[in-house]
């Protein structure tokens, strides 16, 4: 079968060579007869590493989505999981979960090993979460022991969302079997189911060293999802607020630019107004005409001549010389000519 082909010839030798898994307590796994292997769940690769270290075949339930995919990838995935003996499980609860338990019961009644993750889903943060009572009901109905097993380091080798695992050494630690024979016939008692499940989870906590959280992993994931959605909505709200603020600032800047443009147009129109230019030209002409007025110029000339004659009189009185007078008169004559 494909199970033994992958384990012994194809996938198994490669995984052993790369990840060199160490194992403790393998002697607690019975060599024959049905038993439940109850494991913590840290990584997608748990279902590959756990069968790798056991000489007996172990069947795991796999979520329904692995068997219902479409396209080439979906068909290949479904063929792989069916080929290695995995059975589909609907995790929606109710009758769907009961159908998965019935499939597991058939495996156990054939005297085989059935692997189950009591948490119901992978741990969202590496901690150990409250177990679902399906593992206890299955053990009581089949009358088989529950072997707790802790996967060590698989979450670091292949965290959620990572496709290709990181090459590193991982560990697998088996614990002593949980005997449920003392509760035979009490599979309908919810208190018994919870007590057996809690006993299994306590063993897993001791084997793995994980912190225990008294909450279902699925509930925790839902809360984390809702919190992530709330953060995303807050981010979208803030983005919209920033967008609105930016739009308002842009509108204000456009309005201011329009006002400046109008002011510039008014100024340009004022400077280029022909009437205004004519007014300025007339003012310049009048000033130029005033400066070039002959009467004004004659007035300035008479003032200059009077100053020259006064200077001549003063010079004559000082010198008392006709020659000097002649010189002064000559100078005045030249001044008049000038």
């Amino acid at each position: 079968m494909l199970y033994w082909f992958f384990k012994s010839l194809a996938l198994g030798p490669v995984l052993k060579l790369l990840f060199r898994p160490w194992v403790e307590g393998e002697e607690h796994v019975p060599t024959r007869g049905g038993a439940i292997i109850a494991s913590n769940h840290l990584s997608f690769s748990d279902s590959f590493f756990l069968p790798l270290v056991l000489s007996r075949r172990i069947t795991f339930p796999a979520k329904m989505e692995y068997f219902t995919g479409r396209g080439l990838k979906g068909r290949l995935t479904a063929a792989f999981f069916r080929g290695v003996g995995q059975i589909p499980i609907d995790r929606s609860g109710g009758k769907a979960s009961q159908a998965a338990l019935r499939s597991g019961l058939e495996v156990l009644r054939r005297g085989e090993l059935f692997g189950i993750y009591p948490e119901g889903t992978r741990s969202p943060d590496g901690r150990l979460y409250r177990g679902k009572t399906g593992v206890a009901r299955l053990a009581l109905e089949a009358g088989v022991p529950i072997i707790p097993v802790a996967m060590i380091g698989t979450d670091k080798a292949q965290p959620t969302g990572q496709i290709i695992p990181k090459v590193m050494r991982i560990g697998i630690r088996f614990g002593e079997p949980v005997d449920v024979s003392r509760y035979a016939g009490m599979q309908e008692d919810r208190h018994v189911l919870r007590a057996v499940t809690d006993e299994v989870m306590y063993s897993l906590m001791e084997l793995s060293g994980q912190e225990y959280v008294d909450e279902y992993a699925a509930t925790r994931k839902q809360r984390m999802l809702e919190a992530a959605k709330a953060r995303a909505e807050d981010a979208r709200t803030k983005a919209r607020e920033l967008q609105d603020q930016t739009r308002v600032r842009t509108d204000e800047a456009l309005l201011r630019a329009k006002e400046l443009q109008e002011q510039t147009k008014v100024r340009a129109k004022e400077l280029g107004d022909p009437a205004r230019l004519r007014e300025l030209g007339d003012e310049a002409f009048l000033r130029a005409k005033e400066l070039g007025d002959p009467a004004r110029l004659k007035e300035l000339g008479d003032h200059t001549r009077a100053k020259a004659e006064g200077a001549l009189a003063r010079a004559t009185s000082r010198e008392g010389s006709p020659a000097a007078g002649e010189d002064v008169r000559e100078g005045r004559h030249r001044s008049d000519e000038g």
Side-chain angles (χ1 to χ4, degrees):
M1 291 179 62
L2 283 177
Y3 181 91
W4 298 109
F5 170 76
F6 279 110
K7 179 177 177 178
S8 303
L9 300 176
L11 193 58
V14 175
L15 293 178
K16 284 185 176 181
L17 178 64
L18 294 177
F19 296 93
R20 299 172 294 119
W22 54 266
V23 183
E24 292 180 4
E26 190 177 1
E27 67 276 8
H28 295 307
V29 181
T31 56
R32 59 179 177 273
I36 296 175
I37 307 296
S39 172
N40 62 340
H41 200 10
L42 296 173
S43 171
F44 172 79
S45 59
D46 292 339
S47 298
F48 292 90
F49 286 117
L50 186 51
L52 190 66
V53 300
L54 293 176
S55 57
R56 297 181 61 186
R57 171 176 172 155
I58 177 172
T59 299
F60 272 99
K63 62 182 181 180
M64 184 67 70
E65 290 83 351
Y66 291 147
F67 298 86
T68 57
R70 298 186 177 184
L72 178 60
K73 181 181 178 181
R75 290 194 294 270
L76 290 175
T77 300
F80 171 78
F81 280 96
R82 289 193 182 94
V84 296
Q86 307 304 289
I87 57 176
I89 179 173
D90 189 333
R91 299 183 296 177
S92 59
K95 294 182 180 180
S97 296
Q98 291 299 321
L101 291 177
R102 284 195 299 271
S103 298
L105 190 59
E106 293 175 3
V107 173
L108 293 171
R109 286 174 175 168
R110 292 198 302 263
E112 299 176 5
L113 298 179
F114 184 70
I116 193 170
Y117 300 113
E119 294 170 277
T121 184
R122 279 173 286 183
S123 171
D125 54 14
R127 296 185 293 178
L128 184 68
Y129 283 81
R130 193 181 193 199
K132 295 186 176 182
T133 57
V135 60
R137 180 183 294 277
L138 194 58
L140 288 170
E141 290 191 6
V144 298
I146 303 172
I147 315 298
V149 55
M151 307 300 296
I152 311 294
T154 54
D155 56 332
K156 296 180 178 61
Q158 189 177 26
T160 301
Q162 182 172 315
I163 298 177
I164 301 176
K166 175 185 177 182
V167 176
M168 59 175 290
R169 198 169 192 194
I170 57 98
I172 302 172
R173 185 178 289 127
F174 294 92
E176 294 184 1
V178 175
D179 185 7
V180 298
S181 60
R182 64 189 184 278
Y183 300 116
M186 302 176 69
Q187 59 267 23
E188 299 302 327
D189 189 324
R190 62 186 181 88
H191 297 291
V192 169
L193 296 178
R194 173 48 58 193
V196 172
T197 303
D198 288 347
E199 184 178 353
V200 172
M201 301 312 294
Y202 183 80
S203 296
L204 288 175
M205 181 183 68
E206 289 193 318
L207 291 169
S208 66
Q210 292 173 272
E211 177 187 351
Y212 180 75
V213 181
D214 193 21
E215 179 184 24
Y216 290 119
T219 302
R220 176 63 176 171
K221 283 185 175 181
Q222 183 62 33
R223 288 173 54 194
M224 293 172 66
L225 179 61
E226 291 173 356
K229 287 181 178 179
R231 289 194 297 271
E233 183 60 31
D234 288 343
R236 283 193 290 268
T237 300
K238 290 180 180 178
R240 285 194 294 269
E241 291 176 354
L242 289 173
Q243 188 177 22
D244 292 339
Q245 292 174 6
T246 302
R247 187 180 298 110
V248 169
R249 292 192 184 117
T250 302
D251 291 342
E252 291 175 351
L254 289 174
L255 181 60
R256 179 60 179 161
K258 188 175 292 186
E259 291 176 352
L260 291 174
Q261 187 179 25
E262 292 299 326
Q263 292 174 5
T264 302
K265 286 181 179 179
V266 170
R267 182 67 175 162
K269 185 176 180 181
E270 179 180 312
L271 293 176
D273 186 359
R276 178 61 177 161
L277 291 178
R278 281 196 299 272
E279 181 181 342
L280 293 173
D282 292 343
E283 290 177 358
F285 174 76
L286 290 174
R287 184 162 180 79
K289 185 178 180 181
E290 179 181 325
L291 292 176
D293 186 359
R296 178 63 173 161
L297 291 177
K298 183 176 185 300
E299 180 182 345
L300 291 174
D302 292 343
H303 178 69
T304 303
R305 185 177 295 107
K307 288 179 67 177
E309 289 177 350
L312 175 61
R314 285 193 298 273
T316 303
S317 62
R318 282 197 309 268
E319 298 295 333
S321 168
E326 288 293 329
D327 291 338
V328 172
R329 283 193 296 273
E330 180 66 23
R332 186 181 62 181
H333 176 70
R334 292 175 180 169
S335 176
D336 289 341
E337 289 181 348

